[in-house]
């Protein structure tokens, strides 16, 4: 184990561990609102984490991450409608559906670079958005209530907010560990090499389309898992989950979090806690969130620029 | 967990003490951001005006109102509703403008056994098979104002109409509601994109079809754009414009003359002749400097309903069943006149055709021109298993 | 009759395209010349409509209100540039996206704080309250013709500025080779400020012209922003000519799709199926178009064709 890997794993454990501690304390004192908040942070952090891997490790800035989350949620909804609430079925199928979508669109999307890439991911996500909104069987644009919460081996583990929060943190921890390992493995090195200099990476024998497609598909699959939990937490699935605003929010979490994978957890927590706190006092909470974002960008100095490079 | 149950137990053991010490907590959820925020703001203004008149008490008890924004996103609404129910421990959950948010939130509230009073959204599943004793609706079932327009078009003898609505469930429900009472020919049904702002293509089609009237449901900014463009295309003088939730006091300040003479279905108008309404309209205009809309009237009615219900329970909220029964009797004078709850918790009330007019002081308002239904009930109450 | 309707829808599409072009032109210049992703460009459109509506209400005259509104938009644009965009310009794309996203939140909610969430009134000016009669039932409003005319005139002016003036030469050079332009002794920051201000006023003008047609509310810039990005990516980033033709293409495809797709599908798959699929497909059309264009030409239609 290299020192770099050890440090990244430790940071990841710290981030998820902190959330777990807060969750534990909240459960002890019976603070239901905080339990819900931790569950939401875990769910959004999972989706942001997957996006963060794409952005920071592969230089692939996707504005379509919400589509993967939403597809996961819709698979959950569809299975629950047919009486299939088993997580061991729902999670793989959700991941598979999002992976298939990412695999097909990735063939087109990954041929583009820079802004064209961003806009292509947006285009396919918008198609998915209008697509699910046109499904009368799932409530069309309004969406639909989830028939039943998901179960694990028949046990209703997601029945309570606490159950969802634990599941979210568990999946988040697993995904964070897995992606950190990948980051330090051959695939991670290949992705970064391709991000830094495509020609040199190609010359050194890296099959760029292959490694990028692998990352793109894997990250969509992880995001879909968060969709399964989101559907359970809201007891509801609507096309709004696939809206580009949601992709934008996830991107905000990623960029606020910075270049480390564990930063995505921080970014998600920052956005959701700010929203929760400020919206309790003023209906103009977006104004203050905006100011906060601008301030963070201005005050953080230039450290990100050098890390992302001008043409991130 | 143990601490929590201990607290709960002590609260239950000392209901009288708890009722004295703790203010009544009302959660009020509305869409306060995004393009449709005007509706939620009107609704909240009306509610806050009512609370102010009551000196922030309900049934003589001090009351605390917690206002939250659902952002018109079902999952955000659910998250905020859980916050209200679990963290703030509200006694009644109220508000909610849009049906998709309501469908998501009502499940959470129902699971928690929290009494819910909708001040606007009235989706059909909650009126029919999905009705519950804990759910009340104080404006209209979604279809009712569309039914008004359908009946009106039928009574007026319009032979051919074009229908137009955004492509989502409420839009489809609107057209279904219209057709429930309209038996003439529907020349064309157009479904537009939600959030669409340019209606030139649709207006050209209407103009080419030259029907006797058009009926549309185009809430918020979409309605403003449609009304302006319809007027600019010279159609407002030629083809009567029938609508619901499209031309009202939230959009009239923006459309002004362009909307003059357009018709809407409503359960309330500023000129309804009763003492409560006159006082409400005058107080609202004094407080906010603009005429109230039907959303504001619904918020105002909510405050008076809660006050009446708490008076009936002697200010107690701990006995859920007693509070529910008190609400069901609708112990208040609605600004719309006669009002009672049906067995599914939805209103039974008179419904009117209102017309957009310019008042003597230059303000644009809606004005009731005809009563179309008397003691009207929704179409789904038959499916409701409640007694 | 049916061909007149088609012609009318074509006109509608062209007019929508012109509004898109006015917004996209500034975006593509700022992006192409300064490599600056400005998500807050839609805010300029919103500000233009707001300021014009407020000034028209104050002065009671559309022309006067328009000029005052555009001046106000210009000043606000400069303030934003001075406070924020000048700094962001030297940052990574991602930070530009984040910072300008923050600006959208601040301005959108700020407008709501100041003027409320309800839309503002802005009527078509008296002089344009007439319409051209095409057939006994079909008319075309003069204001929409005015928008089209304004779009074409501004496109020509822009073309002349970019293709024929020294400033335009610098802009074209700047978009391909920043170092050379700096080496020529041109102050890139100043050039940026100029281009930015120009783009801001164009977007504000688009907002003001669209104002009488649509609902003037805080979030009005959101939808137009995404469409403007679609336009500049399809047209080729940095190319004004590309933005012009892409805007028309998108405007026409979107309008014709909404007008005819459902009816046309009804002939193919039957009415009920068409009624559920048609509107959704019509909404997707421009994204399908964009995906097709980018799949074949990732750099857009006009980039590298000398059409800067």
């Amino acid at each position: 184990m290299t020192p770099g890997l050890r440090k990244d794993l430790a940071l990841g454990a710290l981030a998820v561990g902190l959330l777990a501690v807060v969750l534990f304390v909240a459960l002890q004192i019976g603070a239901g609102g905080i339990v819900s908040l931790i569950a939401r942070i875990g769910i959004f952090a999972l989706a942001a984490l997957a996006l963060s891997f794409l952005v920071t490790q592969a230089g692939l800035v996707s504005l379509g991450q919400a589509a993967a989350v939403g597809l996961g949620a819709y698979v959950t909804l569809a299975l629950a409608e047919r009486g299939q609430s088993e997580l061991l079925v729902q999670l793989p199928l959700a991941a598979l559906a999002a992976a298939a979508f990412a695999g097909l669109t990735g063939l087109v999307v990954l041929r583009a670079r820079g802004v064209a890439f961003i806009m292509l991911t947006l285009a396919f996500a918008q198609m998915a958005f209008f697509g699910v909104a046109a499904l009368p069987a799932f409530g069309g644009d309004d969406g639909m209530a989830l028939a039943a919460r998901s179960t694990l081996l028949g046990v209703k583990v997601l029945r309570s907010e606490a159950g969802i929060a634990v599941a979210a943190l568990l999946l988040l921890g697993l995904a964070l560990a897995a992606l950190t390992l990948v980051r330090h493995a051959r695939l991670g090195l290949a992705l970064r090499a391709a991000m830094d200099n495509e020609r040199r990476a190609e010359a050194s024998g890296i099959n760029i389309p292959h490694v990028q497609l692998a990352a793109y598909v894997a990250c969509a699959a992880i995001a879909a898992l968060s969709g399964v939990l989101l559907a359970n937490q809201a007891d509801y699935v609507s096309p709004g989950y696939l809206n580009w605003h949601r992709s934008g929010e996830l991107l905000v979490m990623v960029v606020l979090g910075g270049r480390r994978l564990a930063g995505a957890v921080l970014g998600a927590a920052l956005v959701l806690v700010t929203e929760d706190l400020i919206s309790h006092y003023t209906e103009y909470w977006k104004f203050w969130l905006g100011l906060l974002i601008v301030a963070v960008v201005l005050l953080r100095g230039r450290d990100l620029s050098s890390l992302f490079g001008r043409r991130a | 967990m143990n601490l929590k149950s201990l607290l709960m137990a002590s609260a239950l053991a000392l209901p009288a003490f708890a009722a004295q010490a703790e203010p009544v907590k009302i959660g009020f959820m509305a869409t306060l951001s995004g393009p449709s925020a005007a509706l939620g703001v009107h609704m909240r203004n009306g509610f806050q005006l009512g609370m102010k008149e009551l000196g922030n008490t309900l049934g003589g008890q001090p009351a605390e109102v917690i206002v939250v924004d659902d952002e018109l996103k079902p999952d955000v609404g659910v998250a905020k509703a859980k916050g209200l129910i679990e963290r703030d421990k509200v006694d009644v959950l109220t508000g909610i403008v849009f049906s998709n948010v309501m469908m998501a939130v009502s499940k959470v509230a129902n699971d928690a056994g929290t009494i819910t009073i909708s001040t606007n959204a009235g989706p059909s599943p909650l009126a029919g098979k999905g009705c519950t004793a804990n759910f009340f609706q104080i404006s209209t079932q979604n279809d009712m104002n569309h039914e008004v327009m359908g009946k009106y078009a039928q009574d007026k003898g319009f032979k051919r109409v074009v229908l137009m609505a955004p492509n989502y469930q409420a839009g489809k429900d609107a057209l279904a509601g219209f057709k429930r009472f309209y038996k003439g020919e529907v020349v064309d049904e157009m479904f537009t994109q939600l959030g669409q702002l340019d209606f030139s293509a649709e207006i050209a089609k209407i103009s080419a079809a030259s029907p006797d009237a058009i009926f549309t449901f185009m809430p918020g900014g979409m309605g403003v754009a449609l009304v302006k463009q319809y007027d600019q295309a010279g159609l407002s003088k030629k083809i009567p414009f029938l609508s619901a939730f499209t031309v009202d006091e939230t959009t009239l300040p923006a459309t002004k003359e362009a909307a003059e003479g357009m018709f809407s279905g409503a359960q309330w108008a500023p000129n309804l002749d009763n003492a409560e309404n006159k006082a409400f309209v005058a107080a609202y205009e004094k407080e906010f400097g603009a005429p109230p809309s039907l959303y504001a009237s619904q918020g105002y009615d909510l405050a008076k309903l809660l006050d009446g219900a708490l008076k009936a329970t002697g200010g107690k909220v701990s006995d859920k069943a007693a509070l529910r029964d008190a609400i069901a009797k609708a112990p208040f004078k609605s600004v719309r006149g006669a009002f009672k709850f049906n067995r599914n918790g939805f209103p039974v009330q008179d419904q009117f055709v209102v017309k957009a007019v310019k008042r003597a002081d230059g303000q644009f308002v809606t004005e009731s021109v005809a009563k179309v239904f008397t003691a009207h009930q929704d179409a789904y109450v038959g499916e409701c298993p409640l007694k | 009759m049916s061909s007149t309707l088609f012609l009318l829808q074509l006109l509608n599409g062209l007019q929508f395209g012109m509004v898109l072009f006015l917004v996209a032109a500034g975006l593509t210049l700022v992006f192409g010349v300064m490599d600056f992703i400005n998500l807050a460009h839609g805010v300029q459109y919103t500000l233009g409509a707001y300021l014009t509506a407020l000034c028209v209400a104050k002065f009671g005259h559309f022309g006067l209100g328009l000029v005052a509104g555009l001046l106000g938009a210009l000043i606000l644009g400069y303030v934003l540039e001075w406070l924020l965009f000048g700094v962001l310009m030297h940052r990574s794309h991602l930070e530009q996206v984040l910072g300008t996203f923050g600006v959208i939140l601040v301005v959108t909610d700020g407008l709501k704080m100041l003027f409320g969430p309800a839309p503002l009134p802005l009527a078509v000016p008296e002089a344009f309250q007439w319409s051209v009669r095409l057939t006994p039932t079909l008319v075309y409003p003069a204001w929409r013709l005015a928008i089209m005319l304004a779009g074409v005139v501004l496109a020509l002016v822009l073309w002349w500025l970019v293709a024929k003036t020294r400033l335009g030469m610098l802009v074209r050079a700047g978009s391909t080779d920043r170092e050379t332009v700096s080496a020529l002794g041109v102050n890139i920051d100043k050039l940026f400020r100029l281009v930015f201000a120009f783009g801001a006023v164009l977007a504000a003008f688009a907002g003001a012209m669209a104002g009488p047609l649509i609902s003037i509310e805080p979030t009005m810039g959101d939808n137009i922003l995404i469409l403007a990005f679609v336009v500049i990516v399809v047209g080729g980033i940095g190319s004004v000519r590309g933005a012009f033709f892409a805007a028309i293409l998108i405007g026409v495809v979107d309008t014709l799709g909404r007008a005819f797709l459902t009816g046309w599908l009804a002939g193919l798959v039957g009415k009920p199926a068409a009624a559920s699929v048609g509107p959704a497909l019509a909404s997707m059309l421009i994204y399908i178009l964009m995906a097709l264009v980018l799949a074949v030409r990732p750099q857009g239609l006009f980039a590298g064709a000398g059409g800067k």
Side-chain angles (χ1 to χ4, degrees):
Chain A
M1 198 185 269
T2 63
L5 172 60
R6 209 173 298 147
K7 190 178 170 197
D8 279 356
L9 281 176
L11 277 175
L14 183 69
V16 181
L18 268 178
L19 288 179
V21 168
V22 176
L23 175 65
F24 180 75
V25 173
L27 283 173
Q28 286 310 307
I29 61 171
I34 295 179
V35 177
S36 288
L37 186 61
I38 294 287
R40 260 178 98 70
I41 291 174
I43 292 168
F44 279 90
L46 186 57
L49 168 70
L51 181 61
S52 172
F53 186 84
L54 280 185
V55 172
T56 61
Q57 304 305 310
L60 299 171
V61 182
S62 164
L63 198 54
Q65 185 77 348
V69 178
L71 285 177
Y74 268 91
V75 168
T76 314
L77 176 72
L79 287 173
E81 276 296 297
R82 278 157 192 74
Q84 180 54 265
S85 294
E86 178 55 48
L87 276 174
L88 293 180
V89 177
Q90 287 183 339
L91 287 174
L93 281 183
L96 201 65
F101 179 75
L104 285 175
T105 58
L107 292 176
V108 180
V109 171
L110 287 167
R111 293 182 48 206
R113 287 289 171 269
V115 177
F117 176 83
I118 300 180
M119 296 308 285
L120 270 175
T121 55
L122 170 78
F124 283 112
Q126 286 291 86
M127 287 182 217
F129 168 72
F130 288 118
V132 296
L135 294 174
F138 300 125
D141 206 283
D142 276 348
M144 201 170 166
L146 192 67
R149 289 262 173 108
S150 306
T151 56
L152 184 64
L153 298 170
V155 183
K156 293 181 177 166
V157 288
L158 298 186
R159 196 177 44 189
S160 69
E161 280 304 290
I164 293 176
V166 169
L169 293 188
L170 220 57
L171 281 179
L172 179 65
L174 284 176
L176 190 50
L179 287 177
T180 307
L181 288 174
V182 172
R183 180 188 132 83
H184 290 272
R186 291 242 320 260
L187 180 61
L189 292 176
L191 283 169
R192 278 201 302 287
M195 172 167 73
D196 293 340
N197 188 331
E198 292 207 10
R199 213 166 292 163
R200 200 182 306 152
E202 236 160 32
S204 64
I206 294 170
N207 187 337
I208 295 179
H210 275 190
V211 293
Q212 288 192 334
L213 189 64
Y216 192 66
V217 167
C219 288
I222 292 174
L225 302 183
S226 93
V228 175
L229 292 179
L230 185 62
N232 273 288
Q233 212 230 357
D235 285 311
Y236 202 84
V237 176
S238 82
Y241 294 178
L242 290 83
N243 194 302
W244 75 270
H245 282 269
R246 280 292 163 92
S247 299
E249 279 171 23
L250 289 173
L251 205 52
V252 167
M253 291 173 186
V254 168
V255 186
L256 278 180
R259 82 193 159 109
R260 287 184 191 280
L261 287 176
V265 182
L266 181 74
L270 194 63
V271 169
L272 292 172
V273 169
T274 310
E275 175 183 335
D276 192 71
L277 282 181
I278 308 179
S279 68
H280 223 70
Y281 295 102
T282 166
E283 68 179 273
Y284 303 111
W285 60 271
K286 279 189 181 161
F287 180 86
W288 301 106
L289 181 63
L291 273 188
L292 179 80
I293 290 175
V294 171
V296 167
V297 172
L298 285 184
L299 297 179
R300 195 157 54 181
R302 307 196 49 146
D303 66 326
L304 270 181
S305 322
S306 53
L307 295 166
F308 283 127
R310 278 281 312 173
R311 298 196 174 262
Chain B
M1 282 301 202
N2 281 334
L3 190 60
K4 188 179 166 188
S5 28
L6 195 71
L7 281 172
M8 294 263 285
S10 56
L12 285 174
L14 299 163
F17 174 74
Q20 297 288 315
E22 279 277 304
V24 179
K25 277 192 171 177
I26 307 296
F28 186 86
M29 181 182 288
T31 301
L32 298 170
S33 57
S36 302
L39 316 188
V41 169
H42 263 242
M43 205 164 84
R44 187 203 54 195
N45 286 351
F47 182 52
Q48 287 179 341
L49 176 67
M51 290 303 294
K52 195 179 159 193
E53 287 181 10
L54 295 164
N56 282 320
T57 64
L58 291 170
Q61 293 288 314
E64 182 187 343
V65 174
I66 303 162
V67 178
V68 294
D69 177 12
D70 60 42
E71 301 169 44
L72 189 38
K73 295 176 185 158
D75 61 317
V76 173
V78 164
K80 299 270 173 83
K82 283 179 180 165
L84 288 174
I85 292 169
E86 289 163 17
R87 179 174 53 198
D88 302 320
K89 311 252 183 304
V90 297
D91 300 301
V92 186
L93 181 64
T94 66
I96 304 187
V97 181
F98 290 94
S99 295
N100 53 351
V101 179
M102 179 50 92
M103 285 308 292
V105 167
S106 70
K107 192 162 188 287
V108 175
N110 197 34
D111 288 350
T114 306
I115 296 176
T116 308
I117 306 176
S118 165
T119 46
N120 193 60
S124 53
L126 295 179
K129 288 193 186 75
C131 70
T132 68
N134 277 335
F135 183 84
F136 297 92
Q137 213 289 347
I138 197 176
S139 62
T140 58
Q141 196 279 319
N142 284 356
D143 296 10
M144 289 165 89
N145 285 344
H146 308 303
E147 291 168 357
V148 171
M149 288 331 290
K151 179 83 164 33
Y152 182 72
Q154 182 71 16
D155 292 350
K156 275 279 173 184
F158 294 139
K159 299 268 184 302
R160 304 168 67 246
V161 299
V162 168
L163 311 183
M164 175 158 76
N167 187 31
Y168 72 133
Q169 198 51 44
K172 287 167 190 158
D173 290 349
L175 302 196
F178 180 87
K179 286 189 281 188
R180 194 168 293 137
F181 287 86
Y182 178 72
K183 302 298 167 212
E185 184 196 352
V186 174
V187 186
D188 196 2
E189 272 184 35
M190 287 185 273
F191 287 105
T192 60
Q193 191 183 330
L194 205 57
Q196 182 170 319
L197 291 174
D198 185 49
F199 293 93
S200 52
E202 290 77 10
I203 287 171
K205 279 170 92 177
I206 294 170
S207 177
S210 30
D212 293 337
I214 78 151
F215 168 72
T216 186
F217 162 67
M218 234 10 113
M222 293 185 286
V224 173
L226 174 64
V227 165
K228 283 175 160 185
Q229 293 168 25
Y230 192 79
D231 184 56
Q232 280 159 32
L235 293 184
S236 51
K237 303 278 179 299
K238 272 170 35 193
I239 305 170
F241 186 98
L242 315 182
S243 67
F245 306 109
T246 304
V247 177
D248 58 42
E249 287 77 4
T250 62
T251 59
L252 279 169
T255 53
K256 297 204 159 157
E257 281 86 358
E260 229 177 329
M262 290 182 172
F263 296 100
S264 288
Q267 81 285 5
W268 172 89
N271 71 329
L272 286 187
D273 194 16
N274 65 63
E276 286 76 23
N277 196 37
K278 282 188 178 131
F280 161 61
V281 173
Y284 190 96
E285 290 191 17
K286 185 161 171 263
E287 183 85 19
F288 301 106
S293 62
L294 75 167
Y295 306 102
S297 81
Q298 291 155 198
Y300 185 81
D301 270 354
L302 170 68
K304 298 302 162 87
L305 166 67
L306 287 170
D307 183 54
L310 262 84
K311 267 189 191 125
T313 65
K316 290 204 187 79
V317 287
S318 46
D319 185 348
K320 281 264 154 62
L323 180 60
R324 201 168 59 201
D325 294 344
I327 293 173
K329 293 194 180 74
F332 75 112
K333 284 200 160 162
S334 169
V335 291
R336 69 196 92 166
F339 177 95
K340 65 178 179 128
F341 284 117
N342 217 340
R343 64 189 168 86
N344 59 354
F346 279 66
V348 178
Q349 61 195 356
D350 300 345
Q351 304 255 177
F352 308 89
V353 168
V354 300
K355 185 168 133 182
V357 296
K358 188 176 187 174
R359 229 166 42 181
D361 65 354
Q363 296 273 21
F364 287 83
V365 292
T366 58
E367 214 172 78
S368 157
V369 289
K371 188 194 278 190
V372 174
F373 291 117
T374 304
H376 188 48
Q377 68 174 8
D378 63 85
Y380 303 95
V381 65
E383 298 167 16
C384 173
L386 289 174
K387 291 281 174 327
Chain C
M1 163 60 207
S2 149
S3 63
T4 323
L5 184 59
F6 184 80
L7 185 75
L8 184 61
Q9 302 292 25
L10 208 59
L11 274 177
N12 284 328
L14 286 175
Q15 178 261 316
F16 185 41
M18 282 303 149
V19 174
L20 287 180
F21 168 68
L22 289 178
V23 181
L27 194 62
T28 204
L29 278 177
V30 172
F31 203 161
V33 180
M34 304 326 294
D35 199 26
F36 177 58
I37 304 188
N38 183 15
L39 290 190
H41 195 70
V43 160
Q44 297 292 347
Y45 170 84
T46 312
L47 283 176
Y50 259 83
L51 290 170
T52 303
L54 292 169
C55 293
V56 169
K58 183 136 189 85
F59 302 131
H61 183 277
F62 193 92
L64 218 58
L66 180 65
V67 172
L70 292 185
L71 260 176
L74 180 66
I75 293 167
L76 278 178
Y78 257 110
V79 170
L80 273 179
E81 202 280 341
W82 174 65
L83 274 178
L84 190 60
F85 298 159
V87 183
L88 282 180
M89 200 187 117
H90 304 289
R91 300 287 185 82
S92 72
H93 275 167
L94 266 181
E95 282 185 285
Q96 294 169 356
V97 166
L98 188 65
T100 52
F101 181 77
V103 172
I104 295 182
L105 294 183
V106 171
V107 174
T108 305
D109 246 25
L111 285 173
K112 204 177 90 179
M113 242 188 255
L114 289 172
F115 306 107
L120 293 191
L122 180 61
V124 171
E126 296 271 344
F128 290 92
Q129 289 180 352
W130 49 276
S131 43
V132 183
R133 186 161 292 278
L134 300 174
T135 70
T137 51
L138 294 178
V139 296
Y140 202 75
W143 186 244
R144 287 183 186 268
L145 286 176
I147 292 178
M148 252 189 283
L149 193 67
V152 171
V153 168
L154 277 169
L156 287 174
V157 169
L158 259 179
W159 171 79
W160 175 78
L161 272 176
V162 174
K164 301 285 174 192
T165 62
R166 183 182 138 76
L167 183 71
M169 188 214 65
L170 288 174
V171 167
R172 271 179 297 154
S175 68
T176 45
D177 192 349
R178 182 185 312 246
E179 280 74 28
T180 313
V181 176
S182 302
L184 284 173
V186 177
N187 184 336
I188 284 273
D189 285 352
K190 257 196 183 145
L191 183 68
F192 173 68
R193 201 159 297 156
L194 204 67
V195 172
F196 180 82
F198 195 65
V201 170
L202 277 182
F205 181 70
M209 293 299 276
L213 292 177
I214 61 171
S215 170
I216 301 175
E217 60 201 2
T219 53
M220 63 185 281
D222 282 7
N223 292 321
I224 208 85
L225 173 74
I226 280 291
L227 289 176
F229 264 104
V230 171
V231 165
I232 71 167
V233 173
V234 167
I237 289 160
S239 162
V240 172
R241 196 173 69 171
F244 184 76
F245 288 110
I248 289 180
L249 184 67
I250 301 271
V252 167
V253 166
D254 187 56
T255 308
L256 292 186
R258 278 190 287 121
F260 299 115
L261 192 64
T262 305
W264 180 70
L265 276 177
L268 278 180
V269 297
K271 217 170 177 181
S276 69
V277 178
L281 203 57
S283 313
M284 278 187 223
L285 267 188
I286 55 170
Y287 296 103
I288 296 173
L289 180 75
M290 174 164 84
L292 284 178
V293 168
L294 291 186
V296 180
R297 277 180 73 89
Q299 70 277 41
L301 291 176
F302 282 85
K308 296 282 179 183

